[in-house]
Amino acid sequence: MEAFIHGLPKAELHLHIEGTLEPELMFDLAKRNGIKLAYPSVEAVRQAYQFSNLQDFLDIYYAGAAVLQTEQDFYDLTWAYLQKAHSQTVRHTEIFFDPQTHTARGIPFSTVINGIHRALQDAHQQMGITSQLILCFLRHLSAEEAMRTLEEALPYNAWIAGVGLDSSEKGHPPSKFVDVFQRARQEGWRIVAHAGEEGPAQYVWEALDLLGVQRIDHGVRSTDDPRLIDRLVREGVALTVCPLSNIKLRVFDRMEHHNLKTMLEQGVRVTINSDDPAYFGGYMDENFTAAQQALGLNKDQLGQISRNAFEASFVSEARRKELMFELERYLAKNAD
Ligand SMILES: Nc1ncnc2[nH]cnc12
Ligand SMILES: [Zn+2]
């Protein structure tokens, strides 16, 4: 099954580029930029990655991002992720970036996006992997700050497919950002939001009704509300589920108790993604494998998860056709 998962053509729809910062690269960049880290070694950094909830993780994640200073740093970070994704048969990836994490430290928006964009272009040329960029607003900051970030992003409209909402969920409902997302829709951007990760099913309703999202990031708390599940199924709303993240951040106590398979069997468009792979113990293959082994997913279900991701992605129709063709051929060839 691991070989089947490895070769399965995949799309990743929930990946924070800052969450791909491996401790080794963190040390390299710290050295390059003359920054002193709070940890003596790579092993000590890895040891520190024990979290009891989302906020625990976010505190360490924002601190780690401080080593990212120059356009080349953002390039190197993105390039390393794309190589890893390519090595795991990820054909298309939609990458979140958190500009406010960097602009708040005095790093210009242009430095961040130029580095990321150049790596995406090079990876397309050299590896054939396609990608989209999604700008996320930090929900623990104000709606005014989000609006200022949106305005800073306007000159880069052509490089940005959509906007999302991430960071500390509890106490920061989607309703806080109605105006920002209305503006983003007017600008023609696609809309996604983290909802129902730690926060209640109510936040998923708000993301749908008030922000107009096209996908929900995480959304695992939706099963608390059967009416919400009915709606997700009826409207074909995709959930970008991140199994290893949910275990590391204790959303579920163990993988065997994850609701991914239940939702899949209810007809929800579930996808599997890695969220912050450098912090949560693995990239796409590791997430698929952990979920498959704990929940007993069969090849049809794994194939359906990949199909869901291609269908829910923001690729051009021509590229989607290509991806679907490759996927269906792989599934036909590798059936039992
Ligand atoms: N899993 C997650 N939830 C909310 N914000 C995040 N930022 C990075 N990873 C996140
Ligand atoms: Zn996330």
Side-chain angles (χ1 to χ4, degrees):
M1 214 42 131
E2 278 179 60
F4 175 81
I5 286 170
H6 180 71
L8 182 68
K10 293 177 280 290
E12 173 141 68
L13 305 182
H14 185 154
L15 181 282
H16 302 264
I17 199 64
E18 295 88 351
T20 68
L21 180 61
E22 292 287 348
E24 289 79 3
L25 183 58
M26 192 188 289
F27 269 82
D28 287 352
L29 296 182
K31 192 167 165 204
R32 190 152 99 187
N33 294 321
I35 292 172
K36 184 145 177 48
L37 291 173
Y39 306 96
S41 65
V42 164
E43 294 70 39
V45 174
R46 285 227 159 78
Q47 281 283 317
Y49 292 173
Q50 318 274 350
F51 317 111
S52 353
N53 54 41
L54 175 58
Q55 193 59 50
D56 258 13
F57 154 69
L58 289 171
D59 292 342
I60 289 187
Y61 161 86
Y62 293 132
V67 300
L68 298 161
Q69 301 262 332
T70 66
E71 183 179 318
Q72 191 61 39
D73 297 343
F74 286 94
Y75 179 94
D76 291 347
L77 175 73
T78 308
W79 180 253
Y81 160 68
L82 290 162
Q83 276 187 307
K84 183 75 183 178
H86 178 66
S87 77
Q88 296 192 341
T89 328
V90 173
R91 297 296 189 227
H92 176 77
T93 177
E94 303 197 345
I95 297 179
F96 296 136
F97 73 118
D98 287 343
Q100 288 161 291
T101 302
H102 314 300
T103 53
R105 302 182 284 118
I107 310 294
F109 187 98
S110 57
T111 299
V112 178
I113 197 163
N114 283 333
I116 298 173
H117 181 74
R118 189 155 55 83
L120 299 181
Q121 276 188 317
D122 286 355
H124 185 217
Q125 268 181 8
Q126 295 176 37
M127 302 186 277
I129 184 167
T130 53
S131 58
Q132 306 275 10
L133 207 45
I134 299 175
L135 183 163
C136 279
F137 302 112
L138 298 182
R139 69 202 306 161
H140 69 276
L141 301 179
S142 70
E144 291 71 28
E145 285 166 286
M147 192 67 96
R148 276 201 291 279
T149 302
L150 182 153
E151 281 166 1
E152 250 185 314
L154 289 176
Y156 301 93
N157 198 335
W159 291 357
I160 299 171
V163 299
L165 187 63
D166 66 0
S167 193
S168 322
E169 186 181 12
K170 286 182 183 165
H172 301 286
S175 53
K176 180 174 160 185
F177 296 96
V178 168
D179 293 346
V180 181
F181 280 80
Q182 187 187 354
R183 176 78 189 276
R185 288 200 310 275
Q186 280 167 2
E187 296 294 340
W189 275 319
R190 315 273 198 157
I191 308 292
V192 299
H194 283 54
E197 177 185 15
E198 276 189 346
Q202 173 60 26
Y203 286 13
V204 178
W205 285 106
E206 284 189 17
L208 293 166
D209 291 333
L210 303 182
L211 305 187
V213 297
Q214 291 163 276
R215 304 193 295 245
I216 295 283
D217 296 316
H218 293 294
V220 292
R221 294 279 310 273
S222 301
T223 49
D224 294 348
D225 181 350
R227 281 183 47 245
L228 177 56
I229 291 290
D230 285 349
R231 173 157 181 200
L232 296 175
V233 172
R234 202 170 53 244
E235 296 185 4
V237 179
L239 302 188
T240 64
V241 175
C242 307
L244 288 172
S245 164
N246 293 154
I247 302 309
K248 272 286 198 180
L249 302 186
R250 314 239 189 124
V251 173
F252 297 93
D253 57 356
R254 46 193 293 201
M255 196 63 87
E256 286 76 7
H257 296 161
H258 201 290
N259 62 5
L260 178 158
K261 185 179 179 184
T262 306
M263 292 195 292
L264 189 66
E265 289 175 348
Q266 287 170 323
V268 180
R269 250 188 191 178
V270 173
T271 66
I272 289 182
N273 309 273
S274 69
D275 205 6
D276 302 285
Y279 292 87
F280 299 151
Y283 291 77
M284 287 290 268
D285 279 4
E286 290 80 11
N287 272 276
F288 267 80
T289 301
Q292 189 280 323
Q293 290 179 351
L295 303 172
L297 300 171
N298 62 33
K299 285 185 177 178
D300 280 351
Q301 289 171 317
L302 295 167
Q304 185 59 42
I305 289 167
S306 238
R307 199 177 287 123
N308 289 344
F310 289 160
E311 283 172 358
S313 75
F314 298 148
V315 285
S316 68
E317 284 314 311
R319 176 67 173 149
R320 196 191 319 279
K321 256 197 189 149
E322 230 171 69
L323 293 169
M324 283 299 211
F325 183 78
E326 186 193 0
L327 173 63
E328 298 306 338
R329 199 179 45 182
Y330 180 83
L331 295 176
K333 249 191 185 166
N334 292 281
D336 287 323

